[in-house]
Amino acid sequence: MKIEFLGHAGVCISTDKTKIVMDGWFTKNGAFDASWYQFPANHNYMENDWSDLTAVIVSHEHMDHLDPEFLSKIPENIPIYIPEYPSPNLSKKIKFLTNKDAIQLSLEKSHKIGDIDCKIWTEESPMNQDSIWVFKTNEKSILNTVDSRISLSQIKSIIEYIGNKPNLLLAQCSGASWFPVVYTQYESGKKINVSQKKKESKLNYVWSITEKLMPEHFVINAGPPAFLDNEIFYANDDPIFPNPEISKQWFIKNKYQNPIYAPMPGDVLDLTSNNYSKNFDIRKFFSWEDSQNYLKKYAKDMQSNIESVKSKIDNISNKNFHSKLEEYFKKMFSVNAYFNERINMTVLFDIDGPDGGKWIVNFSSKSHFKIFENNDHFDYKYSFHSKWLKRIIYEKLPWEDFFLSLRFVSWRDPDIYNDHLLGLLKFNDENATKAVESFEKSISNEVFSITTPNGENYEIEKFCPHAGASLESGIIKNDQIECSLHHYVFDLKTGNCINANCNLKTKKLDNS
Ligand code: FES
């Protein structure tokens, strides 16, 4: 079995009889309305003859993994496989963008694609729809965690399925995020610190899974995208995540022992011969060390594509936009009462441009919508142009795709991540939110005891109140415990989460 790296998260996995492309993203139109671009460019793959493919896989719905132009180009007889998620968003999106029907593969069951066996896991909490794939032949195995958080029990069942440690692990040290780039509550020094902490946290997480999986080869897959539109070119200055080469050097500095790679498009790892061959052509004109000049030229080369994508963005006009917005949010309030209560905050939408205005949307047990008046309290603020909000409300643009485009600014106080707010905006669907509610309510009330470095004893819930990861592998520092899955930090004395909106049940025990 061998694997060719196609740029960003795209890979081509093949044997003599089978050829699968996973998460290929080659279009010159980028993703998220031309805000994200492949870095470095890999558009040449769009010209390949893909008629010999056995299948195409799309791991999740982010547009840097789902390229409508590529999916439309492949012959009709080549199946497009996706995981069976509780939300229909991914299959609907593929149908809408390509008019093709994707085939859902059930989870945690072995499937056969050509002569390759594969099995899929998804993130344990249905809040985060991303997937983990194992591909195996009689001799070799590949584990692609994409951008998923993987739990200890999943690691155990993956190793059981493979029958050993994986020969190759693909994991991302970057991800899809807009934090802290668009947040205005930080002065620049603080923002750099927050950004650095986030990068470290991601690297530490990936380190922890490599330690548990001990793969023979480890590939840092995908990296931060390039932002080539003038409006958001600034976001290249302090990328949200480290590039694959920086991540690789971080692992080496921390004494990572096994072979590790930061691939370029066109590199190939042959697992049968254990040979990694580099694409020297791309290295003649691209290196991570000198990417600034490359970015400037790349932005110039892509300007006509960016303009073309932006010119197709509808300018919907609606003089009665207030009523449309009110109807939209009132409908959203009735999707899931549990979500409203978990969000429990007031959001100000500060919208400029035609038909713009300021609106207060309160999500709570007493959800309500109104025009903003001076002195109205709010915890969260989104500021952006009305053309984007209209596209969202008229269901032409998913909320998460818009957030990932970075074409907005945001502010929040308290400075905590509200997972349920994003969840409700992105799903806006009864079944998908019900799946999250059932999962969160089903998490066991089991408790266990811990001792802090200061010798204090606490009894705490065994499972993280965020998404159910076992806190037995949490990191205890002073009087806090950090969940290793999404890095929520809980104050052991109060149970309060200091960086998100949830609470852990804790009880101080007598030291006697
Ligand atoms: S499961 Fe997400 S922070 Fe713990």
Side-chain angles (χ1 to χ4, degrees):
M1 188 155 55
K2 67 180 179 185
I3 182 163
E4 176 174 351
F5 302 96
L6 307 178
H8 198 64
V11 290
C12 180
I13 295 169
S14 61
T15 63
D16 290 344
K17 296 188 180 132
T18 304
K19 190 170 171 187
I20 303 166
V21 165
M22 180 168 188
D23 290 343
W25 176 39
F26 315 127
T27 175
K28 285 186 174 174
N29 292 332
F32 310 114
D33 290 321
S35 60
W36 285 39
Y37 268 86
Q38 303 86 337
F39 194 21
N42 62 350
H43 311 298
N44 54 307
Y45 281 112
M46 191 61 92
E47 308 315 319
N48 276 23
D49 174 11
W50 293 111
S51 59
D52 59 345
L53 286 179
T54 315
V56 167
I57 289 170
V58 179
S59 64
H60 64 292
E61 64 175 291
H62 287 162
M63 299 300 288
D64 55 321
H65 297 251
L66 187 177
D67 180 344
E69 196 181 324
F70 167 61
L71 296 181
S72 301
K73 185 187 152 101
I74 57 165
E76 292 293 327
N77 61 325
I78 296 171
I80 300 170
Y81 292 128
I82 61 172
E84 193 177 43
Y85 289 118
S87 155
N89 283 2
L90 177 56
S91 56
K92 275 177 151 175
K93 199 171 190 177
I94 292 174
K95 181 75 180 172
F96 176 74
L97 294 169
T98 68
N99 203 26
K100 288 188 172 179
D101 292 306
I103 300 167
Q104 300 198 39
L105 295 183
S106 51
L107 307 180
E108 301 189 28
K109 274 190 194 153
S110 197
H111 302 276
K112 199 108 193 146
I113 305 180
D115 63 348
I116 296 178
D117 291 310
C118 85
K119 202 166 179 178
I120 312 160
W121 288 257
T122 55
E123 281 210 26
E124 285 190 336
S125 168
M127 186 77 99
N128 305 307
Q129 303 216 334
D130 202 343
S131 51
I132 300 154
W133 293 67
V134 170
F135 302 91
K136 65 171 192 173
T137 60
N138 287 339
E139 292 87 32
K140 300 290 173 186
S141 59
I142 296 173
L143 166 58
N144 187 356
T145 61
V146 195
D147 190 22
S148 300
R149 306 292 174 159
I150 182 168
S151 70
L152 287 178
S153 63
Q154 286 175 327
I155 287 178
K156 205 167 149 244
S157 61
I158 285 167
I159 290 174
E160 261 167 34
Y161 177 63
I162 296 173
N164 210 328
K165 310 278 185 195
N167 296 103
L168 168 62
L169 167 68
L170 305 172
Q172 291 188 204
C173 294
S174 72
S177 178
W178 49 92
F179 178 83
V181 182
V182 298
Y183 283 83
T184 57
Q185 72 265 22
Y186 307 116
E187 43 82 18
S188 65
K190 173 95 195 286
K191 199 173 207 168
I192 290 169
N193 289 344
V194 170
S195 168
Q196 193 51 36
K197 204 163 165 239
K198 177 176 173 158
K199 289 172 191 157
E200 280 282 330
S201 168
K202 181 81 176 180
L203 288 164
N204 282 323
Y205 162 72
V206 178
W207 176 274
S208 74
I209 62 165
T210 56
E211 264 188 330
K212 288 171 192 111
L213 286 160
M214 295 297 290
E216 193 180 343
H217 301 271
F218 168 39
V219 162
I220 296 163
N221 206 28
F227 298 99
L228 304 182
D229 184 1
N230 288 337
E231 257 181 83
I232 49 175
F233 193 83
Y234 76 92
N236 297 306
D237 294 345
D238 179 19
I240 300 172
F241 288 104
N243 70 48
E245 187 57 38
I246 292 177
S247 302
K248 179 180 154 185
Q249 294 311 325
W250 182 91
F251 271 80
I252 291 171
K253 198 173 117 215
N254 284 286
K255 312 230 179 307
Y256 186 77
Q257 298 292 339
N258 288 349
I260 176 170
Y261 315 88
M264 294 271 187
D267 288 3
V268 177
L269 172 59
D270 187 329
L271 290 170
T272 312
S273 61
N274 263 335
N275 180 50
Y276 188 92
S277 50
K278 287 183 175 175
N279 175 2
F280 287 106
D281 286 342
I282 198 166
R283 286 170 171 83
K284 282 181 197 152
F285 58 87
F286 178 80
S287 78
W288 289 110
E289 290 76 28
D290 183 27
S291 56
Q292 284 311 311
N293 287 331
Y294 178 89
L295 278 169
K296 282 182 202 147
K297 179 171 181 317
Y298 191 11
K300 216 165 141 201
D301 293 346
M302 289 299 123
Q303 264 334 289
S304 62
N305 290 79
I306 294 169
E307 292 313 322
S308 157
V309 170
K310 287 172 82 176
S311 70
K312 290 188 192 113
I313 291 168
D314 332 77
N315 255 328
I316 303 160
S317 172
N318 183 345
K319 292 289 164 232
N320 203 6
F321 189 51
H322 169 83
S323 305
K324 178 75 185 167
L325 211 50
E326 184 167 27
E327 182 195 334
Y328 175 86
F329 279 112
K330 284 194 168 162
K331 204 165 156 209
M332 188 180 275
F333 296 152
S334 65
V335 167
N336 186 307
Y338 169 81
F339 265 70
N340 294 340
E341 283 165 27
R342 290 299 305 266
I343 296 170
N344 195 29
M345 66 157 60
T346 302
V347 183
L348 168 64
F349 287 89
D350 180 5
I351 307 300
D352 63 357
D355 310 319
K358 291 186 180 190
W359 291 278
I360 284 284
V361 186
N362 172 276
F363 297 92
S364 65
S365 55
K366 293 182 183 141
S367 295
H368 57 268
F369 172 93
K370 69 187 272 288
I371 291 175
F372 173 76
E373 290 168 64
N374 283 342
N375 301 327
D376 275 347
H377 166 82
F378 56 90
D379 312 285
Y380 223 108
K381 178 174 159 184
Y382 291 117
S383 307
F384 53 97
H385 194 275
S386 56
K387 69 182 169 194
W388 303 116
L389 186 59
K390 287 180 191 168
R391 292 190 73 214
I392 293 166
I393 303 304
Y394 284 89
E395 296 188 358
K396 290 168 183 270
L397 174 64
W399 278 101
E400 197 178 17
D401 287 13
F402 167 65
F403 289 142
L404 287 167
S405 78
L406 306 186
R407 292 189 172 110
F408 71 108
V409 291
S410 189
W411 172 95
R412 65 189 185 191
D413 182 18
D415 186 15
I416 52 172
Y417 175 52
N418 194 314
D419 210 8
H420 291 81
L421 173 61
L422 177 63
L424 184 59
L425 293 175
K426 87 177 164 189
F427 295 132
N428 198 8
D429 171 82
E430 275 180 39
N431 288 339
T433 52
K434 188 76 202 161
V436 176
E437 180 185 352
S438 305
F439 171 79
E440 292 183 354
K441 287 183 172 169
S442 71
I443 292 171
S444 139
N445 286 328
E446 237 177 286
V447 292
F448 74 113
S449 304
I450 55 167
T451 303
T452 68
N454 305 333
E456 308 283 1
N457 295 319
Y458 290 90
E459 182 182 270
I460 68 169
E461 282 175 284
K462 184 168 170 189
F463 297 102
C464 177
H466 172 229
S470 170
L471 287 171
E472 287 173 317
S473 58
I475 300 157
I476 303 165
K477 280 189 211 147
N478 303 323
D479 285 327
Q480 295 177 335
I481 184 164
E482 178 178 333
C483 175
S484 55
L485 200 48
H486 306 100
H487 311 289
Y488 285 16
V489 178
F490 299 93
D491 182 323
L492 290 166
K493 286 188 184 136
T494 61
N496 291 339
C497 179
I498 65 164
N499 52 353
N501 189 19
C502 61
N503 287 297
L504 178 73
K505 286 191 196 117
T506 65
K507 189 164 102 188
K508 186 145 186 332
L509 300 175
D510 265 350
N511 276 359
S512 52

